[in-house]
Amino acid sequence: GYAMLKSLFTFAVLGGSAAAACAQSGVTTYGVLDAGVVGERGCANGCTTKVGSGVASTSRIGIQGSEAIGDTTSAVFGLETELKLDTGRAADRQEREQGRERLEHQAWVGLSGEFGAITIGRQYNLQYLALTDVADPFKGGTAGSATNLIGGPRRTDNSVQYYKTLANGFSAGASWAARDLDTSAAGRAWGMTVGLSSGPLTVRAAHRNQGAVRANLNYKTSNDMTSKNSLLAANLRLGWGTAYAAYSMSRGIASSPLFNPDNPYSVGMARTPSTRSRDVLFGMAVPVSNSVTLLGSYIRKDDRDLANQDANQAAFGASYSVSRRTDFYAAYSHIRNRNGAGYTVGNASAPGSGNKAFNVGMRHAF
């Protein structure tokens, strides 16, 4: 049913995490193939209906594995790159022109054992994982993705991460990243996370600091060149389904989805991002049969800048599982931007162009 599919796709999203690596032996190939139709409305330069790749989960292929190098220690690694099912390429034309043809998702190596796991390379941010794994019923995909309004970049280059599962359902992790192109603070980052899984309740807190380059001198507020994203995420499994909630505090010029250091080329495409906000999410996932699950979420972004560019997102969706690895999905989301805010409805692979979007598609994991 949907619960098994959700676990499979969550595993694929977290395929490069230390926790997943610890469970592997030898070399494993995995992936997700996802394609759908994306219809948008409310675009500044006109909307289109198009075929999209990686709408609910980014289409990707990866390998990961481990080798025992002692009684309790293993060497682990992971490589993961995106696939474009709509064109058959590893990157679209804009990404090729910008020199972004690479292992865009993850590339890391490390050690795991009783001490936990430490990995080095390009990896998912701890704050992003807390949001999508714990608080977002849409798991960071389709039009309902919580990343439309909450958080900053998904991944960080040159990062070192440590993660350990502790006793009694507790877990903890930390990360640090260095800038390798120059000696400025841009790109330098650190983060931490703690979590608890006890019975039907899962709670995780995460914080991230990252240096940023000022791309526009006309920002509404401070000279703060550091983005700070703090998140408290939770879900509670009940008899009728699962309830989700999150509270986020974001500060700094690169703390908004409109300013994404993962893709700095998009800075000039959107309106001025918020530099200080408080965000609240409520959501639910309700199975109505062994195959069908209904999804819904509401997010309020409370912009604390003088411009007060608030935004609200309401999203609804459904998943129909036809096997343990395959499902069909549909989702609709509407963002109400206030006082000139420019947030758009994206999905797992694209930032979107309008304030409304509808998706329908198919996803298969292997």
Coordinates of all heavy atoms in Angstrom, one line a residue, residues 156-158 176-180 182 184-190 208-213 225 261:
T156 N 24.6 20.8 0.0 CA 25.8 21.6 0.2 C 27.0 20.9 -0.3 O 27.2 19.7 0.0 CB 26.0 21.9 1.7 OG1 24.8 22.6 2.2 CG2 27.2 22.8 1.9
D157 N 27.8 21.6 -1.0 CA 29.1 21.0 -1.5 C 30.1 21.0 -0.3 O 29.9 21.7 0.7 CB 29.7 21.9 -2.6 CG 28.8 21.8 -3.9 OD1 28.0 20.8 -4.0 OD2 29.0 22.7 -4.7
N158 N 31.2 20.3 -0.5 CA 32.3 20.3 0.5 C 31.9 20.1 1.9 O 32.4 20.8 2.8 CB 33.1 21.6 0.3 CG 33.3 22.0 -1.1 OD1 33.8 21.2 -1.9 ND2 32.9 23.2 -1.5
W176 N 29.3 20.3 8.7 CA 30.2 21.5 8.5 C 30.6 21.5 7.0 O 30.8 20.4 6.4 CB 31.4 21.4 9.4 CG 32.4 22.6 9.1 CD1 32.3 23.8 9.6 CD2 33.6 22.5 8.3 NE1 33.4 24.5 9.1 CE2 34.2 23.7 8.3 CE3 34.2 21.5 7.5 CZ2 35.4 24.0 7.6 CZ3 35.3 21.7 6.8 CH2 35.9 23.0 6.9
A177 N 30.7 22.7 6.4 CA 31.1 22.8 5.0 C 32.0 23.9 4.8 O 31.9 25.0 5.4 CB 29.8 23.0 4.1
A178 N 33.0 23.7 3.9 CA 34.0 24.7 3.6 C 33.8 25.2 2.2 O 33.3 24.5 1.3 CB 35.4 24.2 3.8
R179 N 34.2 26.4 1.9 CA 34.2 27.0 0.5 C 35.6 26.7 -0.1 O 36.6 27.1 0.5 CB 34.0 28.5 0.6 CG 34.0 29.2 -0.8 CD 32.7 28.9 -1.6 NE 32.7 29.7 -2.8 CZ 31.7 29.6 -3.6 NH1 30.7 28.8 -3.4 NH2 31.7 30.4 -4.7
D180 N 35.6 26.0 -1.3 CA 36.9 25.6 -1.8 C 37.4 26.5 -2.9 O 38.5 26.4 -3.4 CB 36.9 24.2 -2.3 CG 35.9 24.0 -3.5 OD1 35.1 25.0 -3.8 OD2 35.9 23.0 -4.2
D182 N 37.4 30.1 -2.9 CA 38.1 31.3 -2.4 C 38.1 31.3 -0.9 O 37.7 30.3 -0.3 CB 37.4 32.6 -2.9 CG 35.9 32.6 -2.6 OD1 35.5 32.3 -1.4 OD2 35.1 32.8 -3.5
S184 N 36.5 33.6 1.0 CA 35.4 34.3 1.6 C 34.5 33.4 2.4 O 34.6 32.2 2.4 CB 34.5 35.0 0.5 OG 33.8 34.0 -0.2
A185 N 33.5 34.0 3.1 CA 32.6 33.2 3.9 C 31.5 32.5 3.1 O 30.8 31.7 3.6 CB 31.9 34.1 5.0
A186 N 31.4 32.9 1.8 CA 30.3 32.4 1.0 C 30.4 30.9 0.8 O 31.5 30.4 0.5 CB 30.3 33.1 -0.4
G187 N 29.3 30.2 1.1 CA 29.3 28.7 1.0 C 29.7 28.0 2.3 O 29.5 26.8 2.4
R188 N 30.4 28.7 3.2 CA 30.7 28.0 4.5 C 29.4 27.8 5.3 O 28.6 28.7 5.3 CB 31.7 28.9 5.2 CG 33.1 29.0 4.6 CD 34.1 29.8 5.4 NE 35.4 29.8 4.8 CZ 36.4 30.6 5.3 NH1 36.2 31.3 6.4 NH2 37.5 30.6 4.6
A189 N 29.3 26.7 5.9 CA 28.1 26.3 6.6 C 28.3 25.4 7.7 O 29.3 24.6 7.7 CB 27.1 25.8 5.6
W190 N 27.4 25.4 8.6 CA 27.3 24.4 9.7 C 25.9 24.1 10.1 O 25.0 25.0 9.9 CB 28.2 24.8 10.9 CG 27.7 26.0 11.6 CD1 28.1 27.3 11.4 CD2 26.7 26.1 12.7 NE1 27.4 28.2 12.3 CE2 26.6 27.4 13.1 CE3 26.0 25.1 13.4 CZ2 25.7 27.8 14.1 CZ3 25.1 25.5 14.4 CH2 25.0 26.9 14.7
R208 N 20.6 25.4 10.6 CA 21.6 25.6 9.6 C 22.0 27.0 9.5 O 21.2 27.9 9.4 CB 21.0 25.1 8.3 CG 22.0 25.4 7.1 CD 21.4 24.9 5.8 NE 22.1 25.3 4.7 CZ 23.3 24.8 4.3 NH1 23.8 23.7 5.0 NH2 23.9 25.2 3.3
N209 N 23.3 27.3 9.5 CA 23.9 28.6 9.1 C 24.7 28.4 7.9 O 25.5 27.5 7.7 CB 24.9 29.0 10.3 CG 24.2 29.8 11.3 OD1 23.1 29.4 11.8 ND2 24.8 30.9 11.8
Q210 N 24.6 29.4 6.9 CA 25.4 29.4 5.7 C 25.7 30.8 5.3 O 24.9 31.7 5.3 CB 24.7 28.6 4.6 CG 25.5 28.7 3.3 CD 25.0 27.7 2.2 OE1 24.4 26.7 2.6 NE2 25.1 28.1 1.0
G211 N 27.0 31.0 4.9 CA 27.4 32.3 4.4 C 26.9 32.5 3.0 O 26.7 31.5 2.3
A212 N 26.7 33.7 2.6 CA 26.1 34.0 1.2 C 26.8 35.2 0.6 O 27.3 36.1 1.3 CB 24.6 34.2 1.3
V213 N 26.8 35.2 -0.7 CA 27.3 36.4 -1.5 C 26.1 37.2 -1.8 O 25.0 36.8 -2.2 CB 27.9 35.9 -2.8 CG1 28.2 37.2 -3.7 CG2 29.2 35.1 -2.5
M225 N 25.0 38.7 6.1 CA 25.4 37.9 5.0 C 25.3 36.4 5.3 O 25.8 35.6 4.6 CB 26.9 38.3 4.6 CG 27.0 39.7 4.2 SD 26.0 40.2 2.8 CE 26.8 39.3 1.5
P261 N 21.0 29.2 -3.0 CA 22.4 29.0 -3.3 C 22.7 27.8 -4.1 O 23.7 27.7 -4.8 CB 23.1 28.9 -2.0 CG 22.1 29.6 -1.0 CD 20.8 29.3 -1.5

